[in-house]
Amino acid sequence: MSTTRKHTALPKAQILIEALPWLVRHNGKTVVIKFGGNAMIDEDLKAAFAQDVVFLHHAGLKPVVVHGGGPQISAALDKHGIVSEFKAGLRVTTEDAMDVVRMVLAGQVQRELVNLLNQHGPLAVGLTGEDAHTISATKHQPEIDGELVDIGRVGEITAIDTGAIQALLADGRIPVVSSIARSQDDGHVYNVNADTAAAALAAALDAETLMVLTDVEGLYEDWPHSDEVISRLTASQLEKLLPELSSGMVPKMEGCLHAVRNGVTTARVIDGRVQHSILLEIFTDEGIGTMVVPDAQEGDAV
């Protein structure tokens, strides 16, 4: 009986030991996680995501979660009879649409995520970029065919104040941040891209890692001709690839580039469709997504 028990438990012990060097490396470090894609919609993936984030917290890391809510916003706008329009890959956000965006992000998506995390203890605290001036923005006007286009209440981040987030982390909490920003100049609030917000927060917090959950395995070598994932690339290599990327991938990879160019040690795009992908990426030798590193690390061993 005891022999059988010893043998069945051994693989578990080996898995835990494999995590040891990563636990040591990441202990006390801040990790910013952008929550999105299927992981936001599928109930099992949502539950696994919450478990992962709580695990990171108890393993001695300091997770900060940033979220948007594209699908939920679209559904709510439909319900209110507001047409969803996109220009340059960004949602055109009218005054009426902004009210819905704010309500969905801060009142629905964030609440659900906070509640999922808090099933494991009194850990998560929700805030938006409006709170304590966490994220400030000005009106963003993208250029299409050489002309600036008005897309309403879409913001370009101008400043980050990490005070409230730092205070929550110091108190042993998990901040959950909705990607809404206060206006730098005109008293409005702005809808900001959640990938961009996560990258800006990671840089301002001197995070060890930025992790962006997506609905793909990572950055593909030669999509659509190949489904080979690039497991690691430097900031300069990524910069060269940016013009060739699909529109949905651009803000994610631009965010990774911004993060590693501004002090974040690694930025990773990982497949949010895989349960516990965060733990697999942080605590195993293999990793499962695409990791971006600063150019200074180019000569390092992979």
Side-chain angles (χ1 to χ4, degrees), residues 30-36 40 49-54 56-57 62-68 109-110 113-114 117 123-129 134-135 165 168-169 173-179 194 197-199 201-202 205 209-211 213 278:
T30 301
V31 52
V32 175
I33 306 162
K34 192 277 176 152
F35 180 56
M40 292 185 87
F49 174 83
Q51 287 174 328
D52 284 8
V53 172
V54 171
L56 294 185
H57 169 80
K62 296 175 178 176
V64 175
V65 178
V66 180
H67 72 88
V109 180
Q110 183 200 88
L113 193 44
V114 165
L117 290 164
L123 297 169
V125 178
L127 64 156
T128 78
T134 298
I135 306 174
I165 292 175
L168 288 168
L169 292 174
R173 310 295 176 181
I174 300 171
V176 177
V177 187
S178 304
S179 60
L201 279 168
L205 287 162
T209 300
L210 167 68
M211 303 185 88
L213 268 66
I278 292 169

Side-chain angles (χ1 to χ4, degrees), residues 32-136:
V32 175
I33 306 162
K34 192 277 176 152
F35 180 56
N38 265 328
M40 292 185 87
I41 301 159
D42 181 284
E43 295 303 322
D44 292 338
L45 289 173
K46 271 194 279 201
F49 174 83
Q51 287 174 328
D52 284 8
V53 172
V54 171
F55 188 99
L56 294 185
H57 169 80
H58 286 300
L61 287 82
K62 296 175 178 176
V64 175
V65 178
V66 180
H67 72 88
Q72 294 90 336
I73 291 167
S74 294
L77 289 172
D78 284 350
K79 211 167 164 182
H80 286 78
I82 299 169
V83 178
S84 288
E85 188 189 351
F86 289 85
K87 289 181 182 174
L90 296 167
R91 185 187 298 277
V92 176
T93 309
T94 60
E95 296 278 330
D96 290 345
M98 188 64 222
D99 289 341
V100 174
V101 167
R102 200 181 195 183
M103 180 181 71
V104 170
L105 292 182
Q108 180 189 331
V109 180
Q110 183 200 88
R111 292 295 93 210
E112 188 180 7
L113 193 44
V114 165
N115 288 335
L116 274 172
L117 290 164
N118 285 343
Q119 284 174 15
H120 304 278
L123 297 169
V125 178
L127 64 156
T128 78
E130 298 170 74
D131 293 315
H133 293 186
T134 298
I135 306 174
S136 299

